[in-house]
Amino acid sequence: MGDEDEDRGTEQQRRLVAEDFPYRSTLLANLSALILLWDSPAVQGQILAKSGESLDQPSHQTLRLLLAWGSLRPTALADELGVGASYVSKIVRRLEADALVQRSTDPKDRRATLISLTQAGVEAARGVYALGDRMISEVLEDWSASDIRRYTALTERFVDDAIRSTARMREQGLRPPP
């Protein structure tokens, strides 16, 4: 690895600390660092590779979405993955070749296609969620049971409030600053 690659790796690691996000809210800065870390295809890909996982990160993400939300049109899948239609086609072709997804006609619109999991795909997707469970277990391995319960309860409350607030913000925008 050259010096430039090492600098990029160090630079990426440096960005994963809350102090690098100039929010007034320490909570938001920490959440930003966590999202950047766990939403990073590079980080996820490295973890999967070191864990001996045969599927790549985009395939994992696709399987997770299809298990959680059911069959999706390719355009909806592209929107949720944040990628273009041609990239989704590549992911779907790879997953089809592994017999993990299948295409079918959308019964609501015979011109449209749906992507859905096969039985093998359901099992593979459950395996993806099991990897996530292992990941969070490693993160929390030194936490007490009471700390985990308290953090889980607060996180559930935060997510519920965030969903409710986001719905309002989507309709009305942000409120004026205090």
Side-chain angles (χ1 to χ4, degrees):
M1 182 152 66
D3 289 341
E4 189 174 307
D5 290 337
E6 287 176 23
D7 289 344
R8 271 196 297 260
T10 303
E11 191 175 306
Q12 183 177 12
Q13 290 299 318
R14 184 190 61 74
R15 280 189 244 130
L16 300 180
V17 295
E19 292 78 24
D20 287 338
F21 297 92
Y23 295 110
R24 287 182 293 168
S25 166
T26 302
L27 173 61
L28 185 53
N30 279 300
L31 286 172
S32 295
L34 179 62
I35 290 166
L36 180 65
L37 174 67
W38 279 2
D39 201 36
S40 164
V43 171
Q44 287 183 13
Q46 291 166 351
I47 291 170
L48 292 172
K50 296 280 185 184
S51 300
E53 182 60 24
S54 60
L55 293 174
D56 62 7
Q57 185 273 341
S59 296
H60 271 238
Q61 193 173 13
T62 302
L63 292 174
R64 280 195 326 263
L65 284 172
L66 291 172
L67 185 62
W69 294 339
S71 301
L72 293 171
R73 290 182 178 184
T75 52
L77 191 53
D79 288 345
E80 293 304 326
L81 293 172
V83 298
S86 63
Y87 191 62
V88 163
S89 293
K90 290 178 187 177
I91 295 168
V92 169
R93 277 196 301 275
R94 284 195 312 260
L95 292 171
E96 278 181 312
D98 291 336
L100 299 177
V101 301
Q102 60 191 9
R103 296 174 201 249
S104 61
T105 302
D106 186 342
K108 295 177 185 172
D109 180 353
R110 308 278 306 148
R111 298 168 296 166
T113 300
L114 289 175
I115 308 300
S116 57
L117 294 173
T118 62
Q119 187 55 45
V122 169
E123 292 170 23
R126 287 193 174 126
V128 170
Y129 279 98
L131 288 171
D133 287 336
R134 285 175 46 199
M135 187 174 175
I136 198 70
S137 290
E138 285 192 33
V139 170
L140 300 174
E141 68 187 356
D142 294 331
W143 288 42
S144 70
S146 65
D147 282 348
I148 293 171
R149 280 192 304 275
R150 188 171 69 233
Y151 183 72
T152 299
L154 289 170
T155 302
E156 287 172 351
R157 178 180 168 194
F158 181 85
V159 169
D160 287 345
D161 289 347
I163 290 168
R164 196 171 22 263
S165 292
T166 300
R168 186 198 56 74
M169 287 183 255
R170 290 176 83 175
E171 287 182 19
Q172 302 170 10
L174 292 172
R175 293 182 183 128

